[in-house]
PDB file of all heavy atoms in Angstrom:
ATOM      1  N   ALA A 253      -8.118   4.405  10.728  1.00 98.00           N
ATOM      2  CA  ALA A 253      -9.363   4.166  11.464  1.00 98.00           C
ATOM      3  C   ALA A 253     -10.110   5.470  11.698  1.00 98.00           C
ATOM      4  O   ALA A 253     -11.341   5.519  11.605  1.00 98.00           O
ATOM      5  CB  ALA A 253      -9.048   3.495  12.806  1.00 98.00           C
ATOM      6  N   VAL A 257     -13.933   6.114  10.664  1.00 98.00           N
ATOM      7  CA  VAL A 257     -14.918   6.499  11.681  1.00 98.00           C
ATOM      8  C   VAL A 257     -15.614   7.805  11.296  1.00 98.00           C
ATOM      9  O   VAL A 257     -16.828   7.966  11.500  1.00 98.00           O
ATOM     10  CB  VAL A 257     -14.239   6.603  13.063  1.00 98.00           C
ATOM     11  CG1 VAL A 257     -15.151   7.316  14.069  1.00 98.00           C
ATOM     12  CG2 VAL A 257     -13.872   5.212  13.580  1.00 98.00           C
ATOM     13  N   ILE A 260     -18.212   6.845   8.831  1.00 98.00           N
ATOM     14  CA  ILE A 260     -19.278   6.097   9.499  1.00 98.00           C
ATOM     15  C   ILE A 260     -20.226   7.053  10.228  1.00 98.00           C
ATOM     16  O   ILE A 260     -21.456   6.937  10.133  1.00 98.00           O
ATOM     17  CB  ILE A 260     -18.680   5.072  10.491  1.00 98.00           C
ATOM     18  CG1 ILE A 260     -18.021   3.925   9.725  1.00 98.00           C
ATOM     19  CG2 ILE A 260     -19.755   4.527  11.435  1.00 98.00           C
ATOM     20  CD1 ILE A 260     -17.214   2.985  10.612  1.00 98.00           C
ATOM     21  N   GLN A 266     -23.331   3.722  12.587  1.00 97.00           N
ATOM     22  CA  GLN A 266     -22.769   3.164  13.825  1.00 97.00           C
ATOM     23  C   GLN A 266     -23.464   1.880  14.283  1.00 97.00           C
ATOM     24  O   GLN A 266     -22.799   0.987  14.821  1.00 97.00           O
ATOM     25  CB  GLN A 266     -22.845   4.192  14.971  1.00 97.00           C
ATOM     26  CG  GLN A 266     -22.003   5.433  14.757  1.00 97.00           C
ATOM     27  CD  GLN A 266     -22.785   6.568  14.133  1.00 97.00           C
ATOM     28  OE1 GLN A 266     -23.584   6.351  13.220  1.00 97.00           O
ATOM     29  NE2 GLN A 266     -22.563   7.781  14.623  1.00 97.00           N
ATOM     30  N   PRO A 288      -5.076  -3.339  14.594  1.00 97.00           N
ATOM     31  CA  PRO A 288      -5.371  -2.119  15.361  1.00 97.00           C
ATOM     32  C   PRO A 288      -6.403  -1.218  14.693  1.00 97.00           C
ATOM     33  O   PRO A 288      -7.194  -0.564  15.369  1.00 97.00           O
ATOM     34  CB  PRO A 288      -4.002  -1.426  15.472  1.00 97.00           C
ATOM     35  CG  PRO A 288      -3.157  -2.026  14.407  1.00 97.00           C
ATOM     36  CD  PRO A 288      -3.651  -3.415  14.211  1.00 97.00           C
ATOM     37  N   MET A 289      -6.422  -1.176  13.363  1.00 97.00           N
ATOM     38  CA  MET A 289      -7.436  -0.391  12.661  1.00 97.00           C
ATOM     39  C   MET A 289      -8.825  -0.944  12.945  1.00 97.00           C
ATOM     40  O   MET A 289      -9.760  -0.193  13.258  1.00 97.00           O
ATOM     41  CB  MET A 289      -7.154  -0.390  11.153  1.00 97.00           C
ATOM     42  CG  MET A 289      -8.114   0.487  10.358  1.00 97.00           C
ATOM     43  SD  MET A 289      -7.836   0.426   8.561  1.00 97.00           S
ATOM     44  CE  MET A 289      -8.570  -1.198   8.186  1.00 97.00           C
ATOM     45  N   SER A 290      -8.974  -2.262  12.843  1.00 97.00           N
ATOM     46  CA  SER A 290     -10.270  -2.896  13.096  1.00 97.00           C
ATOM     47  C   SER A 290     -10.755  -2.650  14.518  1.00 97.00           C
ATOM     48  O   SER A 290     -11.937  -2.354  14.745  1.00 97.00           O
ATOM     49  CB  SER A 290     -10.171  -4.405  12.851  1.00 97.00           C
ATOM     50  OG  SER A 290      -9.788  -4.694  11.535  1.00 97.00           O
ATOM     51  N   GLU A 291      -9.852  -2.760  15.470  1.00 97.00           N
ATOM     52  CA  GLU A 291     -10.228  -2.563  16.875  1.00 97.00           C
ATOM     53  C   GLU A 291     -10.742  -1.148  17.107  1.00 97.00           C
ATOM     54  O   GLU A 291     -11.716  -0.942  17.836  1.00 97.00           O
ATOM     55  CB  GLU A 291      -9.033  -2.855  17.773  1.00 97.00           C
ATOM     56  CG  GLU A 291      -8.657  -4.346  17.805  1.00 97.00           C
ATOM     57  CD  GLU A 291      -7.349  -4.611  18.525  1.00 97.00           C
ATOM     58  OE1 GLU A 291      -6.630  -3.620  18.836  1.00 97.00           O
ATOM     59  OE2 GLU A 291      -7.031  -5.788  18.773  1.00 97.00           O
ATOM     60  N   ALA A 292     -10.100  -0.173  16.490  1.00 97.00           N
ATOM     61  CA  ALA A 292     -10.525   1.218  16.661  1.00 97.00           C
ATOM     62  C   ALA A 292     -11.876   1.475  15.994  1.00 97.00           C
ATOM     63  O   ALA A 292     -12.713   2.218  16.518  1.00 97.00           O
ATOM     64  CB  ALA A 292      -9.465   2.156  16.084  1.00 97.00           C
ATOM     65  N   ILE A 293     -12.115   0.852  14.845  1.00 98.00           N
ATOM     66  CA  ILE A 293     -13.388   1.022  14.138  1.00 98.00           C
ATOM     67  C   ILE A 293     -14.527   0.408  14.940  1.00 98.00           C
ATOM     68  O   ILE A 293     -15.615   0.999  15.062  1.00 98.00           O
ATOM     69  CB  ILE A 293     -13.313   0.397  12.729  1.00 98.00           C
ATOM     70  CG1 ILE A 293     -12.349   1.205  11.845  1.00 98.00           C
ATOM     71  CG2 ILE A 293     -14.693   0.321  12.085  1.00 98.00           C
ATOM     72  CD1 ILE A 293     -11.993   0.521  10.546  1.00 98.00           C
ATOM     73  N   LYS A 294     -14.289  -0.750  15.526  1.00 97.00           N
ATOM     74  CA  LYS A 294     -15.347  -1.466  16.242  1.00 97.00           C
ATOM     75  C   LYS A 294     -15.787  -0.773  17.525  1.00 97.00           C
ATOM     76  O   LYS A 294     -16.861  -1.029  18.049  1.00 97.00           O
ATOM     77  CB  LYS A 294     -14.903  -2.900  16.525  1.00 97.00           C
ATOM     78  CG  LYS A 294     -14.995  -3.807  15.302  1.00 97.00           C
ATOM     79  CD  LYS A 294     -14.676  -5.234  15.631  1.00 97.00           C
ATOM     80  CE  LYS A 294     -14.969  -6.146  14.448  1.00 97.00           C
ATOM     81  NZ  LYS A 294     -16.412  -6.231  14.169  1.00 97.00           N
ATOM     82  N   ILE A 295     -14.973   0.116  18.045  1.00 97.00           N
ATOM     83  CA  ILE A 295     -15.384   0.900  19.208  1.00 97.00           C
ATOM     84  C   ILE A 295     -16.587   1.771  18.842  1.00 97.00           C
ATOM     85  O   ILE A 295     -17.502   1.972  19.638  1.00 97.00           O
ATOM     86  CB  ILE A 295     -14.212   1.783  19.714  1.00 97.00           C
ATOM     87  CG1 ILE A 295     -13.103   0.892  20.283  1.00 97.00           C
ATOM     88  CG2 ILE A 295     -14.687   2.791  20.758  1.00 97.00           C
ATOM     89  CD1 ILE A 295     -11.840   1.654  20.627  1.00 97.00           C
ATOM     90  N   VAL A 296     -16.605   2.260  17.618  1.00 97.00           N
ATOM     91  CA  VAL A 296     -17.676   3.139  17.151  1.00 97.00           C
ATOM     92  C   VAL A 296     -18.796   2.359  16.455  1.00 97.00           C
ATOM     93  O   VAL A 296     -19.979   2.694  16.596  1.00 97.00           O
ATOM     94  CB  VAL A 296     -17.108   4.199  16.183  1.00 97.00           C
ATOM     95  CG1 VAL A 296     -18.211   5.045  15.590  1.00 97.00           C
ATOM     96  CG2 VAL A 296     -16.080   5.058  16.906  1.00 97.00           C
ATOM     97  N   ALA A 297     -18.430   1.325  15.695  1.00 97.00           N
ATOM     98  CA  ALA A 297     -19.399   0.541  14.932  1.00 97.00           C
ATOM     99  C   ALA A 297     -19.162  -0.944  15.215  1.00 97.00           C
ATOM    100  O   ALA A 297     -18.465  -1.620  14.434  1.00 97.00           O
ATOM    101  CB  ALA A 297     -19.282   0.835  13.442  1.00 97.00           C
ATOM    102  N   PRO A 298     -19.698  -1.468  16.310  1.00 97.00           N
ATOM    103  CA  PRO A 298     -19.399  -2.840  16.744  1.00 97.00           C
ATOM    104  C   PRO A 298     -19.751  -3.925  15.729  1.00 97.00           C
ATOM    105  O   PRO A 298     -19.122  -4.990  15.719  1.00 97.00           O
ATOM    106  CB  PRO A 298     -20.244  -3.006  18.015  1.00 97.00           C
ATOM    107  CG  PRO A 298     -20.510  -1.610  18.478  1.00 97.00           C
ATOM    108  CD  PRO A 298     -20.591  -0.775  17.256  1.00 97.00           C
ATOM    109  N   SER A 299     -20.749  -3.668  14.875  1.00 97.00           N
ATOM    110  CA  SER A 299     -21.187  -4.700  13.926  1.00 97.00           C
ATOM    111  C   SER A 299     -20.502  -4.580  12.570  1.00 97.00           C
ATOM    112  O   SER A 299     -20.766  -5.379  11.668  1.00 97.00           O
ATOM    113  CB  SER A 299     -22.710  -4.627  13.735  1.00 97.00           C
ATOM    114  OG  SER A 299     -23.377  -4.919  14.952  1.00 97.00           O
ATOM    115  N   ALA A 300     -19.636  -3.599  12.418  1.00 97.00           N
ATOM    116  CA  ALA A 300     -18.875  -3.478  11.167  1.00 97.00           C
ATOM    117  C   ALA A 300     -17.858  -4.600  11.087  1.00 97.00           C
ATOM    118  O   ALA A 300     -17.331  -5.044  12.114  1.00 97.00           O
ATOM    119  CB  ALA A 300     -18.172  -2.128  11.108  1.00 97.00           C
ATOM    120  N   PHE A 301     -17.580  -5.087   9.886  1.00 96.00           N
ATOM    121  CA  PHE A 301     -16.552  -6.111   9.730  1.00 96.00           C
ATOM    122  C   PHE A 301     -15.550  -5.664   8.677  1.00 96.00           C
ATOM    123  O   PHE A 301     -15.915  -5.189   7.605  1.00 96.00           O
ATOM    124  CB  PHE A 301     -17.152  -7.482   9.379  1.00 96.00           C
ATOM    125  CG  PHE A 301     -17.983  -7.515   8.124  1.00 96.00           C
ATOM    126  CD1 PHE A 301     -17.446  -7.927   6.910  1.00 96.00           C
ATOM    127  CD2 PHE A 301     -19.322  -7.148   8.168  1.00 96.00           C
ATOM    128  CE1 PHE A 301     -18.222  -7.967   5.771  1.00 96.00           C
ATOM    129  CE2 PHE A 301     -20.113  -7.177   7.019  1.00 96.00           C
ATOM    130  CZ  PHE A 301     -19.562  -7.597   5.820  1.00 96.00           C
ATOM    131  N   VAL A 302     -14.289  -5.742   9.035  1.00 97.00           N
ATOM    132  CA  VAL A 302     -13.203  -5.327   8.159  1.00 97.00           C
ATOM    133  C   VAL A 302     -12.782  -6.516   7.314  1.00 97.00           C
ATOM    134  O   VAL A 302     -12.484  -7.594   7.848  1.00 97.00           O
ATOM    135  CB  VAL A 302     -12.023  -4.778   8.979  1.00 97.00           C
ATOM    136  CG1 VAL A 302     -10.852  -4.422   8.066  1.00 97.00           C
ATOM    137  CG2 VAL A 302     -12.462  -3.559   9.775  1.00 97.00           C
TER     138      VAL A 302
END
Side-chain angles (χ1 to χ4, degrees):
V257 167
I260 289 171
Q266 295 94 319
M289 184 183 76
S290 300
E291 291 171 350
I293 292 168
K294 283 185 172 292
I295 292 172
V296 175
S299 297
F301 58 97
V302 177

